[in-house]
Amino acid sequence: MRQVSKTMRQVVIWLLCFSLSWIGLIRPGIAANQTEPGAGNTIALQLSQKSPIVQSALSLLTTQAKQIQDRTLRNVTLRAISDPKYCIQHRAGVTDQTKTKILQALLDAGLVDPKDDATFPGGLKAGIFPPVLQDGSRCPQTPQPFSSAPGSTFGGHHSYPGGLVLHEVLNDLSSQNFAILYRQLYGHRDRRGFAIVKRSAEAPDIVINDDTTIAAPLWHDWAKTIVLQWNADGTEFSELNFGGNGTSDNYGQSGNSKTGSHHLLGLAESIKRKLSPEFVVAQASAHAAPTLGNEYKVVNWIRTAAILAQVDPIASGYLMRDAENHLRLPALYQLGLKDQTNLLVEYTIHNLSDADYVFSIPVVSIGESILKAIAPEFGYRSEDSATFNTKFRNPVFSWIPPERLVMLYAHQGLTAVRSEIRRLDLRR
């Protein structure tokens, strides 16, 4: 009983420390060099390749992608999540000189905060153009496959090798389930022609694009393979937030449209590959639906991505100008209303499907607290952070995601957690 009480006290102490870290009172370490591919990418790949839950999630995600009806979208999406030599189109032929021009264009448009150049590892250019394999060639390649990337920055949701795949499975299935709900609630009539709620989602009389609801979540986070690379000590690259200056982004008025670079680079890739405006706007809506005063954010993200892709967003149909000469989202499927920007349900569905963070962020801190408390029982010390991360934290999370670990702990205690971890051969 004394040992259990001591362990529980350790859990509480580590929980407090990680809670402080999460809200910013304790700053995590920052990678020293983000101008070269991550030195820990290979180790992360080896972990994710052995994990049953990661590999089963990847198989399910591939099955989902195969359901896309549009052949072009289906083929490119399957390559993006399964081809380790996927060619990054928006980086093809982009030399250092081109990077400088693109960065200046972003600064001139107010889509980058110049103050970040002094604080981000490697400066703004490193944040906007993370290192890739065969950089500057006709076929630059991702520095790690989709299957080994984390779901967010270190300490955030799904921040372990293979975390991106699990995050994407949840988002993709959530997106499809939201589409089913909308069909059930708004897609049926009775015999008299009046709208009714129907338990079945079959044969609705409304249109929801399944290709968009399947593929948008995948493309939204695809660029985490580039942005969130692994350091040798088991931590990750930092992520630059841009897509606005953070102060006057709402058509010159007060507003903040800065967002994670993975969101913007994924959009750049979709635009460069000439995916449809409907799809691109839906993809862009992951971090904010274009409603309730947030349209300017989605517009700025598409503007940013178009500059990265070196594409005219108006000529390509991704944006339009309204009567006040403001850039707006395109009026798709409009029914005669001048300057009317349509709100498609696919935009909202994608936004709603990307909401697991309310659980998946805090469970990482709780899970880390538990692992640090019991690490000595498995031969590891949390004070040796590099060994702890690469030999204990990351392997355990890759095989036993924090969500599962915390749910086990909540109802079955540390005994269940220990038992689960002992099934792993942490030496392999």
Side-chain angles (χ1 to χ4, degrees):
M1 288 296 292
R2 290 181 180 178
Q3 179 61 40
V4 172
S5 298
K6 180 180 178 182
T7 303
M8 290 299 292
R9 286 199 300 272
Q10 289 176 311
V11 169
V12 172
I13 292 171
W14 281 115
L15 253 175
L16 176 61
C17 290
F18 272 89
S19 297
L20 291 173
S21 176
W22 184 41
I23 64 176
L25 297 180
I26 299 175
R27 291 191 62 190
I30 296 178
N33 184 4
Q34 294 193 182
T35 61
E36 299 177 0
N41 289 345
T42 299
I43 295 175
L45 175 59
Q46 292 170 348
L47 284 175
S48 65
Q49 285 178 327
K50 296 175 182 177
S51 166
I53 193 167
V54 171
Q55 292 304 310
S56 60
L58 182 61
S59 177
L60 178 55
L61 205 61
T62 302
T63 299
Q64 282 287 102
K66 287 179 179 178
Q67 296 177 26
I68 298 171
Q69 297 300 303
D70 181 270
R71 184 171 61 181
T72 299
L73 180 60
R74 180 178 65 250
N75 289 342
V76 72
T77 302
L78 284 169
R79 289 205 306 273
I81 66 175
S82 61
D83 185 356
K85 295 185 178 181
Y86 174 86
C87 288
I88 309 169
Q89 287 299 298
H90 79 274
R91 289 286 291 271
V94 175
T95 64
D96 190 64
Q97 183 179 15
T98 307
K99 293 176 185 177
T100 300
K101 291 181 179 179
I102 291 174
L103 172 57
Q104 189 59 54
L106 292 170
L107 288 166
D108 292 343
L111 296 171
V112 175
D113 186 351
K115 297 190 296 295
D116 289 336
D117 190 50
T119 59
F120 190 81
L124 285 173
K125 191 178 287 188
I128 296 170
F129 303 99
V132 297
L133 304 181
Q134 301 182 38
D135 194 12
S137 72
R138 296 173 62 182
C139 182
Q141 297 170 6
T142 55
Q144 64 179 325
F146 195 86
S147 60
S148 66
S152 68
T153 52
F154 196 71
H157 70 83
H158 303 92
S159 54
Y160 49 88
L164 176 58
V165 181
L166 289 172
H167 177 52
E168 284 309 296
V169 165
L170 185 63
N171 286 4
D172 213 61
L173 295 178
S174 295
S175 182
Q176 290 299 286
N177 286 331
F178 273 117
I180 290 172
L181 288 173
Y182 274 91
R183 290 185 177 106
Q184 290 176 337
L185 264 67
Y186 308 112
H188 297 280
R189 305 183 209 181
D190 64 14
R191 293 178 180 178
R192 298 172 298 168
F194 294 115
I196 60 169
V197 174
K198 191 173 182 180
R199 189 66 180 268
S200 172
E202 295 178 1
D205 63 357
I206 59 172
V207 176
I208 297 178
N209 191 325
D210 281 330
D211 281 4
T212 298
T213 57
I214 292 172
L218 301 181
W219 279 104
H220 158 58
D221 279 335
W222 161 81
K224 289 177 179 177
T225 59
I226 305 170
V227 174
L228 301 179
Q229 300 184 45
W230 292 98
N231 296 312
D233 65 356
T235 61
E236 305 169 29
F237 279 21
S238 298
E239 180 176 25
L240 177 68
N241 288 332
F242 65 113
N245 57 40
T247 55
S248 58
D249 295 331
N250 190 359
Y251 302 104
Q253 303 301 311
S254 178
N256 182 0
S257 60
K258 293 173 75 172
T259 193
S261 59
H262 73 272
H263 184 52
L264 304 166
L265 302 187
L267 283 169
E269 187 69 7
S270 294
I271 288 174
K272 193 68 173 182
R273 288 193 172 273
K274 301 179 181 180
L275 301 184
S276 72
E278 174 186 339
F279 179 82
V280 168
V281 177
Q283 179 183 339
S285 298
H287 286 184
T291 60
L292 307 175
N294 285 322
E295 183 185 350
Y296 78 93
K297 296 180 181 179
V298 182
V299 168
N300 284 344
W301 298 335
I302 293 175
R303 288 174 62 204
T304 302
I307 291 173
L308 292 171
Q310 303 178 76
V311 169
D312 183 336
I314 298 176
S316 301
Y318 297 116
L319 296 174
M320 70 175 192
R321 290 195 181 276
D322 64 13
E324 297 180 357
N325 205 34
H326 286 159
L327 287 171
R328 303 287 302 278
L329 297 180
L332 304 176
Y333 311 118
Q334 63 178 330
L335 302 176
L337 298 177
K338 184 178 181 182
D339 289 337
Q340 175 65 43
T341 298
N342 284 45
L343 172 63
L344 302 185
V345 69
E346 290 86 354
Y347 305 165
T348 300
I349 286 174
H350 186 207
N351 179 257
L352 292 171
S353 73
D354 193 33
D356 179 51
Y357 57 87
V358 294
F359 181 66
S360 58
I361 288 177
V363 295
V364 170
S365 295
I366 298 170
E368 286 175 333
S369 303
I370 294 170
L371 293 186
K372 291 198 173 205
I374 65 175
E377 301 175 27
F378 295 88
Y380 299 97
R381 296 182 304 107
S382 60
E383 293 80 9
D384 182 0
S385 58
T387 301
F388 174 81
N389 288 334
T390 58
K391 301 295 184 180
F392 192 59
R393 177 204 186 269
N394 289 354
V396 170
F397 279 175
S398 188
W399 284 63
I400 314 168
E403 291 84 353
R404 174 175 172 81
L405 189 150
V406 170
M407 285 188 275
L408 285 172
Y409 174 69
H411 293 284
Q412 302 176 50
L414 287 173
T415 300
V417 172
R418 290 188 182 99
S419 177
E420 192 100 346
I421 294 175
R422 288 192 182 108
R423 293 192 182 96
L424 308 180
D425 182 358
L426 297 173
R427 296 167 296 179
R428 59 184 170 185

